[in-house]
Amino acid sequence: MKILKHSLLASSLAAALWLSAGWAEMSPDAPINSAAPAAPEQSAPVAEENSALSDLPPPAGLEQADPALSSAASAAPFVPGQPVAAPVAALNQPISSTISVAQMGQPQGITLTGGQLQSGIVFTLPGDEVITNAHLNLSLRVSPALAARNTSLQLMLNGQPLGTLPLGASDSDVSDYQLEIPAAMVVASNNLSFKINDADKLLCEKESAQNYQVTILPKTTLGLEGQQLNIGTRLRNFPRPFIDPLRMTPASVAMGFASNVTPDAVTAAALVASWLGIQSDYRTIRFPVTRGALPEQNGILFGHPGERIGTLTLPQASGPQLTLVDNPNNPVYKLLLVTGEDEAQLRQAALRLTTQPLNTDASSLAVQPQPLASRKPYDAPRWINTNRPVRLSELLDPNQTLTSTGIWHDALRVNFRAAPDLFLWDGDAVPVNLHYRFPSESWIDENSSFLNVMLNGTFLRNLSVNKVGLLEQAWHRLGGDARQEQYQLHLDPWLIYGDNQLSLYFNIRPKADAPCGVLLNNNIKSRIEEESWIDLSHTRHFTLLPNLSYFVGASFPFSRLADFSQTTLLMPEKPDDAEIATLLDLAARAGNATGAALTQNQVMFGLPNGGAHLARLAKSDVLAISTTGDNRFNQQMLAHSPFESNGSTFGVKSLTTLDKARSWLTGDWSRQPLDADRYFSSNEAWRGFISYRSPWNSDRTVVMTVATSDEQLLRLHGDLNSPRINAAIRGDTAIITDENGIRSFRVGPQFPSGEMPWYMMVVWYANQHSVLMALAALLLAALAGVATFAMLQRHARRRLDPQNLRDAGNQSGRK
């Protein structure tokens, strides 16, 4: 590795930057004065400590003493609201982190090529961190033609030069560099840019796009060291310090419970986890679980007043309450206490946390109960509207636009989510009406320029600048206007997933004799007009279940009602930490997929024998989490399913003769029960999902998340964030192993689910059950043939009967 040092650090500048970035946010709070709860929806006053500038950590390069921290081994429990004798609170905590180019939003890296020989990338850092040391580990791949020119790559951060790297020949395809970055240059929002020197000369060379390329690989990382600031215990800081919208790396929020964790506490935690999943958006988030012990860093604790979690006792209160306190183990980190006397109060406290901003400087808030609004089917905020055509401009983020400038630019990307059970008859398609405009410059080669349209990586069409046709071309040659500025695409329904991306790229080609100067013209604009739309209004919600691809892609069918009001989250009677953490991960994925928190989710420990819980199971879809060690729970869950649990192993029940006959008659020939059973038995360590028709309600579905151990169960978090694994999960059985990756099967029957008129259901059944229809037609033909044969025989007997012949003769003789 080549190491380049760029020394540009003055201690006075670093100190000034540190003060401006961190001091305004830092105001450590003293313990709450009173243990009595605040009035409903009123803030309890908090006493702010005065901190001298001498208490601040010195900037990089200056000596610093370790701050005194509170003892975690105190014999007496820590009670929020009561003064505690402790050393001076620490104001900061040393931290280190690494951000890769892939995490900055460029999973394929950054390629400088052709006319785009300059590019940049934006990265942000949490506002409660101060950077004292930074370095860039840069990995480059340089094409041989560019290396032969002995040019260089210029790097800039926030408009200031970082250094220049040679792009000469190397012993390998990839060159690695390490650059020291002055910490004073790293702020909350940063722009790291790259430019190839002599780019103007390269532009004028033909085939420059193919010959001259340098790629900043996605494994390039920015290493950061600094201080975590103490931002105090004001509730208005939430969701900081637990998550920060500026953080680009995966988040981790510890969830704490008492030793004897109860379903109502996990229900409230699932609600909060789903909301945090919404805030994390495309960044991942996970929830390590602690029971009977405090998290080492920031964490959210759920429980009842008076319960003890580690050295902390939850504050007494007569109603739902939110309290933010210093972590007794280290006051730089914070603990958010979500408390209530029963399930209803805990739900209310969690609901208040996730529905309205906490606009208070207090550290405690007594929650005023609010009604629970019920959602309607398919009204998830992040799902595209299927009742009307939707303009593409409605699907953009606030900082996005449908306009491209210059010749060299990135594609316009429109992201949208959809319910995964959209149904269209064969031959029908989803219309996308595009209104677009190319620049009208004389040097543009209109015959070679196109608008490239792709959906989810699948090429759809190249839309031309001018209309195609003999008459149009003749009119254009005569000087007439033949511009094509509108086109309607028709998408096959199978191209639309739960999470989609429409990519629109204006591929503008200059004429061969165009001067070099026009290639740098950034004054031209190409745009998609506001009236462009996509129309899903003629689709229906109808599909066959179970289907695990719907579950991993959009948490369906549970997300049909985005608040989970018709979903039960089921766990063993005594769930362990890994099972609770997995449930919280799945809750966060559901919130992220729909944009709605799970305000009406219901967690149960063990299968109920009767009462309201059993009644809820009878009208709910079921999402269960367990390991193969929970044998009793698994046997109860799988008693009326195609699967079975024997000790610590899973398997698939053998099909009976009646089941085989039914599958053959209904045309269900793609089931693989034997293959799945063999795969279950041939793997010692695995994790995955199984799904089947609910035994409590034949119109509902059960999805079980299962693993052979806690370690395997926790690995599902990484699996579900892998596009390769997500794409391979389908059917009703998905088994993941470290050695073989993902294998999917379908072992059980499927059933129709959704909204379809009866007359259309008749047509659908006829289409799906061709064998039965053929047998029915054959039977009807046979019955008709037998009836016709009998009638003709009877007619022949009557005609040939002697008495009838004599009567016929007498009749003719009289005449």
Side-chain angles (χ1 to χ4, degrees):
M1 174 180 289
K2 305 174 186 178
I3 300 179
L4 304 178
K5 292 191 176 180
H6 186 87
S7 69
L8 181 67
L9 181 61
S11 59
S12 59
L13 178 58
L17 178 66
W18 189 94
L19 290 174
S20 62
W23 175 246
E25 290 292 331
M26 181 195 64
S27 183
D29 301 331
I32 303 170
N33 294 328
S34 174
E41 290 294 348
Q42 293 181 357
S43 305
V46 76
E48 300 284 348
E49 293 181 353
N50 295 324
S51 299
L53 288 177
S54 59
D55 293 331
L56 297 175
L62 301 182
E63 295 183 359
Q64 174 182 331
D66 293 333
L69 303 179
S70 300
S71 174
S74 176
F78 172 74
V79 181
Q82 296 183 2
V84 178
V88 177
L91 298 180
N92 54 66
Q93 173 72 24
I95 56 170
S96 62
S97 61
T98 300
I99 308 175
S100 68
V101 166
Q103 291 171 336
M104 296 177 190
Q106 298 292 337
Q108 306 301 322
I110 303 172
T111 299
L112 307 181
T113 179
Q116 193 165 354
L117 296 172
Q118 179 175 356
S119 185
I121 189 170
V122 175
F123 66 93
T124 57
L125 301 175
D128 58 356
E129 294 181 3
V130 172
I131 303 304
T132 59
N133 186 25
H135 58 273
L136 180 66
N137 296 315
L138 187 63
S139 295
L140 302 176
R141 179 181 290 117
V142 184
S143 65
L146 187 60
R149 294 183 66 97
N150 289 321
T151 185
S152 58
L153 181 70
Q154 181 180 352
L155 285 78
M156 300 186 72
L157 179 64
N158 300 326
Q160 299 299 320
L162 280 180
T164 301
L165 305 179
L167 297 179
S170 176
D171 296 335
S172 63
D173 292 340
V174 178
S175 301
D176 296 320
Y177 301 88
Q178 185 180 92
L179 288 85
E180 297 294 331
I181 300 177
M185 296 175 64
V186 183
V187 292
S189 181
N190 305 271
N191 187 303
L192 180 63
S193 61
F194 308 89
K195 179 182 178 181
I196 297 179
N197 291 328
D198 299 328
D200 296 349
K201 297 179 181 179
L202 297 178
L203 280 176
C204 296
E205 295 195 20
K206 293 184 178 181
E207 308 299 330
S208 61
Q210 292 76 24
N211 295 333
Y212 304 127
Q213 292 186 356
V214 56
T215 301
I216 293 89
L217 299 178
K219 68 177 183 178
T220 295
T221 60
L222 179 67
L224 302 170
E225 296 178 1
Q227 301 287 337
Q228 176 79 47
L229 299 180
N230 188 335
I231 64 172
T233 57
R234 296 183 296 275
L235 281 172
R236 72 166 59 251
N237 290 329
F238 184 80
R240 296 170 58 204
F242 308 100
I243 63 171
D244 193 309
L246 296 179
R247 184 182 296 277
M248 306 188 76
T249 53
S252 178
V253 180
M255 298 288 202
F257 306 91
S259 298
N260 55 337
V261 61
T262 55
D264 56 358
V266 181
T267 297
L271 197 167
V272 175
S274 67
W275 186 83
L276 293 174
I278 299 171
Q279 310 310 308
S280 66
D281 202 13
Y282 286 96
R283 298 182 295 270
T284 60
I285 185 170
R286 67 184 314 160
F287 303 94
V289 169
T290 61
R291 280 195 292 182
L294 295 178
E296 294 182 0
Q297 299 183 4
N298 299 308
I300 305 178
L301 309 185
F302 300 85
H304 308 108
E307 283 186 335
R308 182 169 177 175
I309 303 178
T311 60
L312 185 144
T313 301
L314 299 182
Q316 294 291 340
S318 58
Q321 184 166 303
L322 301 172
T323 309
L324 187 62
V325 300
D326 293 334
N327 189 329
N329 296 334
N330 187 339
V332 170
Y333 300 116
K334 307 303 171 186
L335 300 176
L336 179 61
L337 316 181
V338 182
T339 58
E341 294 182 333
D342 53 26
E343 179 181 325
Q345 290 192 7
L346 275 169
R347 191 187 299 272
Q348 284 292 329
L351 188 67
R352 177 65 182 85
L353 190 68
T354 59
T355 53
Q356 304 174 41
L358 301 176
N359 295 324
T360 174
D361 287 327
S363 58
S364 180
L365 181 69
V367 175
Q368 182 77 1
Q370 56 181 310
L372 278 173
S374 297
R375 304 201 70 94
K376 297 178 181 179
Y378 301 104
D379 71 343
R382 286 186 174 174
W383 286 0
I384 190 171
N385 193 312
T386 57
N387 298 321
R388 60 173 176 81
V390 177
R391 290 189 174 188
L392 298 187
S393 57
E394 299 178 43
L395 304 174
L396 300 178
D397 292 335
N399 58 344
Q400 275 190 291
T401 178
L402 287 175
T403 300
S404 298
T405 58
I407 298 180
W408 318 108
H409 51 258
D410 203 357
L412 302 173
R413 294 182 174 88
V414 181
N415 298 310
F416 66 95
R417 300 175 189 259
D421 64 340
L422 297 179
F423 175 82
L424 284 171
W425 291 105
D426 290 342
D428 289 344
V430 176
V432 178
N433 197 291
L434 292 177
H435 293 258
Y436 61 95
R437 284 197 174 185
F438 277 87
S440 55
E441 299 288 342
S442 59
W443 50 266
I444 292 178
D445 186 352
E446 296 182 351
N447 296 324
S448 301
S449 299
F450 298 97
L451 172 60
N452 177 275
V453 185
M454 300 180 69
L455 179 65
N456 298 324
T458 300
F459 171 77
L460 299 179
R461 193 175 182 86
N462 276 330
L463 304 182
S464 59
V465 178
N466 296 313
K467 296 176 182 178
V468 178
L470 294 177
L471 292 178
E472 288 80 1
Q473 290 180 4
W475 178 246
H476 183 54
R477 289 180 181 275
L478 293 174
D481 183 14
R483 279 282 176 126
Q484 177 173 274
E485 297 184 339
Q486 185 272 335
Y487 191 89
Q488 187 168 107
L489 294 166
H490 295 277
L491 307 181
D492 293 324
W494 54 267
L495 289 172
I496 298 178
Y497 308 141
D499 196 357
N500 306 275
Q501 184 178 87
L502 180 66
S503 177
L504 305 163
Y505 177 66
F506 286 94
N507 187 1
I508 301 175
R509 298 292 181 90
K511 292 180 179 178
D513 58 352
C516 289
V518 301
L519 301 180
L520 299 176
N521 183 1
N522 288 322
N523 192 39
I524 61 172
K525 291 184 178 180
S526 311
R527 70 176 184 269
I528 305 296
E529 299 289 0
E530 291 286 331
E531 53 266 29
S532 300
W533 49 259
I534 179 172
D535 186 8
L536 297 167
S537 60
H538 61 296
T539 61
R540 296 182 181 274
H541 294 288
F542 183 79
T543 190
L544 286 172
L545 295 177
N547 189 333
L548 286 174
S549 65
Y550 294 169
F551 170 69
V552 299
S555 296
F556 193 86
F558 312 110
S559 54
R560 177 178 173 270
L561 283 161
D563 58 3
F564 272 37
S565 57
Q566 293 185 9
T567 295
T568 298
L569 304 174
L570 203 54
M571 307 184 74
E573 292 183 3
K574 295 182 179 180
D576 56 31
D577 294 351
E579 290 168 337
I580 297 175
T582 301
L583 182 144
L584 299 179
D585 278 350
L586 296 178
R589 286 181 62 85
N592 185 279
T594 64
L598 311 186
T599 56
Q600 299 201 42
N601 82 88
Q602 179 71 58
V603 175
M604 295 184 192
F605 290 175
L607 286 171
N609 296 320
H613 284 177
L614 186 60
R616 181 174 175 108
L617 276 181
K619 60 180 182 181
S620 299
D621 295 297
V622 178
L623 176 57
I625 295 96
S626 73
T627 60
T628 54
D630 301 310
N631 188 45
R632 180 173 176 272
F633 175 76
N634 294 333
Q635 288 181 342
Q636 290 176 322
M637 288 292 301
L638 303 178
H640 303 286
S641 78
F643 305 92
E644 61 183 357
S645 174
N646 298 316
S648 60
T649 62
F650 267 47
V652 179
K653 298 174 183 176
S654 300
L655 293 179
T656 63
T657 303
L658 181 61
D659 290 334
K660 292 179 181 178
R662 185 184 295 113
S663 297
W664 187 84
L665 290 174
T666 57
D668 190 9
W669 304 330
S670 59
R671 293 165 65 177
Q672 305 164 285
L674 185 58
D675 292 341
D677 184 67
R678 289 171 176 169
Y679 199 70
F680 270 121
S681 62
S682 63
N683 287 282
E684 183 70 22
W686 55 269
R687 64 269 184 194
F689 307 93
I690 61 174
S691 185
Y692 53 91
R693 200 168 193 169
S694 173
W696 301 283
N697 187 328
S698 59
D699 293 330
R700 299 290 182 173
T701 306
V702 176
V703 174
M704 284 190 70
T705 304
V706 191
T708 53
S709 65
D710 289 348
E711 179 186 1
Q712 288 288 322
L713 194 62
L714 292 174
R715 292 190 184 186
L716 278 175
H717 175 85
D719 296 332
L720 292 177
N721 292 317
S722 166
R724 179 183 62 83
I725 291 180
N726 270 345
I729 293 179
R730 55 187 179 271
D732 57 17
T733 307
I735 305 170
I736 307 170
T737 62
D738 295 334
E739 295 78 17
N740 302 321
I742 174 72
R743 287 283 303 276
S744 295
F745 308 89
R746 188 167 73 81
V747 304
Q750 292 181 301
F751 63 94
S753 174
E755 308 162 356
M756 187 82 76
W758 67 269
Y759 57 88
M760 297 182 70
M761 283 296 296
V762 172
V763 179
W764 180 84
Y765 267 108
N767 182 59
Q768 291 291 314
H769 302 90
S770 55
V771 175
L772 278 179
M773 292 299 296
L775 292 176
L778 182 62
L779 180 60
L780 288 174
L783 291 175
V786 170
T788 303
F789 179 76
M791 182 184 68
L792 293 175
Q793 269 196 331
R794 180 172 175 273
H795 181 70
R797 283 195 302 269
R798 291 182 61 186
R799 184 172 58 84
L800 298 176
D801 185 69
Q803 182 64 36
N804 291 336
L805 291 175
R806 285 194 299 270
D807 293 343
N810 293 335
Q811 292 277 347
S812 64
R814 291 192 194 98
K815 293 181 179 179

